[in-house]
Amino acid sequence: MSFYSECGDLYSAHQLFDEMPHKNVVTWTSMISSYVQHGSFQLALGLFKKMIVSNEMPNHYTLSVVVRACTVVGYVDLGVQIHGLIVCVGLERDEFAGSSFLDFNFKVMGDLDSAFRVFDGLYRIDVFTWNVMISGLAQDGDTSEVLRMLSEMQVVDGLNPNDSTIVGLLKCCYILKEVEQVHGLALKTGFKNDIAVGSSLMDSYGKVGSIDLGQKILGSLELNNNTSCFVWSSIISSHARNGCGKEAITLFRDMCRQGMRPNQHAPSSALKACADVRDLSTGVQVQQSQMIKNGFRSDCFVGSVLISLYADAGKICKAEKLFRRIDDKDIVAWNAMITCCAQVEEGSAATCISFFQELCRTTTLEPNGATLFTLLKSCQSISDLVVGIQIHAMISKLSLGCVTRMGNAVINMYSRFGAVDDAYKAFNDIVSKDEVSWSSVIRNYQQNGFALDALRLCKVMMADGMVLTNFSPSIMCCGLRRTCSY
DNA sequence: ATAGGGTTAG
């Protein structure tokens, strides 16, 4: 059985497994863990359920593997149930079962309190467990807590950071100086050419805008066919993210010319670069030469960026065809499609709404801020007011009305329909009002014939110390002119 | 056996 598993022939392995008359915990566990290792998480979890039904008791090894599967797939309920089982069999303080549940708390539950509880309860804490903590907290953006953990791990437990620690730390580096510090630590702890550390560093340098420093790392890495795919993807996305679209496209061509077979990551970035530089024809070339040949026709990431590329070119039918072809649509894919409608069709609320309704009716995905933001912007004609109000209600329900960009969009929607008071209420909901908030609400009064209110708000704004660099003269003059003529 | 790398909408 394990021979077949190692060859990747899980079908034969499973057949043998089924034929075994006396299965024990080791047989069950090795079959389950083979599935997890090959990325077949659903099959692994299905087999685990069978194991429980047939009254075989899982051990700490089985439990750590299935919790990991729940984490990767994002199964909340099953993960919580399995935790119940871990507690029942008295393994909650076990380092393996416990650490994987710790990771589950960070990644799936987003529950830091219970993560700390699990962590504090563990019998033994090794570098592995420290790394789960550091990576989880770093992902959450809690830099000071991450640094506290790092120091505690070194000073109290006397453990040295390893490559995975470095990768975890890089997740909470937002400026060049921070990346350089972690890079320094990596060199100190003996990082030579670990590919995960290398590509994380490259990616982090790219994210803080230092493509050059990232490319320097590239020179120090020893690449082979398996690893260079990662590194190419990093370097292409760095360029695409930093406004170097043309270079990103060239790099992608180089990559293909060298005979690399990219997975969906590099083409997604390359297509994003095409969208940024509005190069539809190259985008179509990439799509045809790579996507179809390499079988990414139904990939969600590739599909989403292609939709926005076709949207920019005004080709809504083509975009919809691509959208329909995506197998496992996530919220980003839906948003790309809704944005496409808003962009292409004049007075597009009806089309946008019909996609939105389909999203709510046929999936369990939660619409997010981007979904609602786009829908709101699509409400342009007076017949869309009712829809606009409904969307505003959803925005309030998600407590997003206080977010500056979103609040500004709400003000603008109401202003378009002359709903002066509602626009003003939306303005008040915004926690930190920026130039756009002020100018929108003032213009709202001014354009709807309430010059005195416009002027009054101008005064409040100035008393607040806000200066409108772009809008000030026209708005204030309009306000004054109207006021003087009264 | 439990931790680490690259992708999409606004």
Side-chain angles (χ1 to χ4, degrees):
Chain A
M1 195 176 103
S2 61
F3 169 76
Y4 280 122
S5 294
E6 273 164 34
C7 298
D9 184 359
L10 295 190
Y11 182 77
S12 304
H14 201 142
Q15 266 189 335
L16 272 176
F17 171 79
D18 276 342
E19 286 160 11
M20 286 179 174
H22 303 293
K23 300 182 182 72
N24 62 18
V25 61
V26 178
T27 1
W28 280 101
T29 304
S30 68
M31 192 64 237
I32 292 171
S33 108
S34 296
Y35 277 130
V36 170
Q37 270 167 24
H38 288 86
S40 308
F41 303 106
Q42 325 273 2
L43 291 172
L45 291 169
L47 198 59
F48 176 68
K49 283 181 189 164
K50 272 192 191 161
M51 175 182 183
I52 299 298
V53 170
S54 56
N55 271 330
E56 189 66 61
M57 185 68 90
N59 60 18
H60 56 169
Y61 177 14
T62 330
L63 291 164
S64 67
V65 171
V66 289
V67 170
R68 179 171 149 66
C70 289
T71 306
V72 177
V73 189
Y75 283 161
V76 177
D77 295 344
L78 189 57
V80 171
Q81 281 172 18
I82 295 176
H83 179 240
L85 197 58
I86 291 176
V87 176
C88 277
V89 296
L91 286 170
E92 56 182 325
R93 296 164 90 90
D94 173 80
E95 58 181 308
F96 294 109
S99 291
S100 57
F101 185 62
L102 183 63
D103 199 35
F104 174 84
N105 270 295
F106 278 119
K107 291 194 183 136
V108 181
M109 306 299 286
D111 185 347
L112 274 67
D113 289 339
S114 62
F116 272 104
R117 264 198 305 280
V118 175
F119 181 71
D120 289 335
L122 292 177
Y123 283 129
R124 209 178 82 87
I125 295 169
D126 59 4
V127 182
F128 233 102
T129 317
W130 280 111
N131 286 347
V132 176
M133 278 310 269
I134 288 174
S135 159
L137 291 165
Q139 188 75 60
D140 190 58
D142 194 342
T143 311
S144 59
E145 194 64 23
V146 167
L147 293 177
R148 199 177 67 80
M149 288 282 149
L150 179 67
S151 129
E152 207 177 310
M153 159 184 172
Q154 292 171 295
V155 179
V156 181
D157 279 7
L159 295 167
N160 285 325
N162 64 13
D163 289 339
S164 290
T165 322
I166 302 296
V167 174
L169 290 170
L170 283 170
K171 287 186 192 162
C172 62
C173 293
Y174 305 105
I175 54 171
L176 178 60
K177 210 179 120 203
E178 293 165 345
V179 180
E180 284 175 335
Q181 278 171 349
V182 177
H183 190 181
L185 181 67
L187 295 173
K188 219 173 94 186
T189 55
F191 149 72
K192 287 196 182 65
N193 49 23
D194 181 83
I195 210 73
V197 175
S199 60
S200 284
L201 272 169
M202 272 175 46
D203 193 54
S204 299
Y205 275 123
K207 280 181 177 148
V208 299
S210 301
I211 303 179
D212 299 351
L213 291 172
Q215 261 172 334
K216 257 192 200 161
I217 310 264
L218 181 63
S220 71
L221 297 173
E222 287 169 20
L223 300 178
N224 60 38
N225 276 339
N226 288 326
T227 54
S228 56
C229 194
F230 263 105
V231 176
W232 275 104
S233 304
S234 278
I235 207 81
I236 292 169
S237 78
S238 287
H239 282 84
R241 248 199 304 263
N242 285 292
C244 306
K246 287 205 165 126
E247 290 81 352
I249 296 167
T250 310
L251 282 163
F252 181 71
R253 287 213 175 99
D254 289 346
M255 175 181 185
C256 298
R257 208 168 290 143
Q258 290 190 16
M260 296 283 314
R261 276 203 139 208
N263 55 16
Q264 74 275 33
H265 290 270
S268 302
S269 289
L271 286 165
K272 165 108 178 109
C274 294
D276 286 344
V277 299
R278 305 258 157 163
D279 185 352
L280 180 66
S281 67
T282 305
V284 172
Q285 267 176 35
V286 172
Q287 181 196 5
Q288 290 179 341
S289 65
Q290 290 304 318
M291 305 305 82
I292 297 170
K293 197 170 75 188
N294 289 334
F296 302 134
R297 294 183 81 119
S298 54
D299 181 77
C300 187
F301 285 73
V302 171
S304 303
V305 67
L306 276 172
I307 290 169
S308 63
L309 187 67
Y310 279 107
D312 288 339
K315 303 193 171 180
I316 193 168
C317 291
K318 197 91 183 162
E320 189 176 350
K321 257 189 198 156
L322 285 160
F323 176 72
R324 296 293 173 205
R325 206 181 282 152
I326 300 175
D327 274 338
D328 224 351
K329 301 179 189 70
D330 65 2
I331 192 65
V332 176
W334 283 94
N335 289 350
M337 191 61 230
I338 293 172
T339 307
C340 169
C341 299
Q343 215 170 321
V344 173
E345 287 201 341
E346 201 65 38
S348 54
T351 334
C352 291
I353 291 295
S354 77
F355 273 102
F356 178 64
Q357 285 167 337
E358 189 186 332
L359 160 70
C360 299
R361 203 179 53 240
T362 62
T363 76
T364 54
L365 296 168
E366 297 280 345
N368 62 13
T371 325
L372 300 172
F373 184 82
T374 308
L375 287 169
L376 207 56
K377 282 209 307 188
S378 74
C379 297
Q380 293 287 338
S381 68
I382 188 68
S383 56
D384 302 330
L385 177 59
V386 179
V387 171
I389 293 169
Q390 285 169 348
I391 308 219
H392 182 202
M394 290 184 237
I395 290 170
S396 305
K397 212 171 153 192
L398 292 174
S399 310
L400 291 171
C402 57
V403 179
T404 313
R405 238 169 81 84
M406 189 67 95
N408 292 345
V410 179
I411 300 175
N412 280 320
M413 185 271 291
Y414 282 125
S415 302
R416 281 197 287 275
F417 305 133
V420 185
D421 294 341
D422 293 311
Y424 185 64
K425 273 186 212 147
F427 170 76
N428 277 331
D429 284 343
I430 300 173
V431 172
S432 84
K433 301 165 178 69
D434 68 356
E435 213 172 285
V436 179
S437 327
W438 281 102
S439 62
S440 304
V441 76
I442 292 171
R443 190 175 291 143
N444 163 51
Y445 279 122
Q446 177 222 321
Q447 285 177 348
N448 288 295
F450 297 89
L452 278 174
D453 292 286
L455 193 63
R456 179 179 55 79
L457 269 175
C458 274
K459 285 182 188 157
V460 178
M461 176 187 71
M462 287 189 290
D464 247 36
M466 170 66 72
V467 181
L468 293 188
T469 48
N470 292 327
F471 307 97
S472 177
S474 70
I475 286 176
M476 295 188 59
C477 288
C478 272
L480 281 170
R481 221 180 296 131
R482 295 268 185 110
T483 317
C484 292
S485 67
Y486 274 107

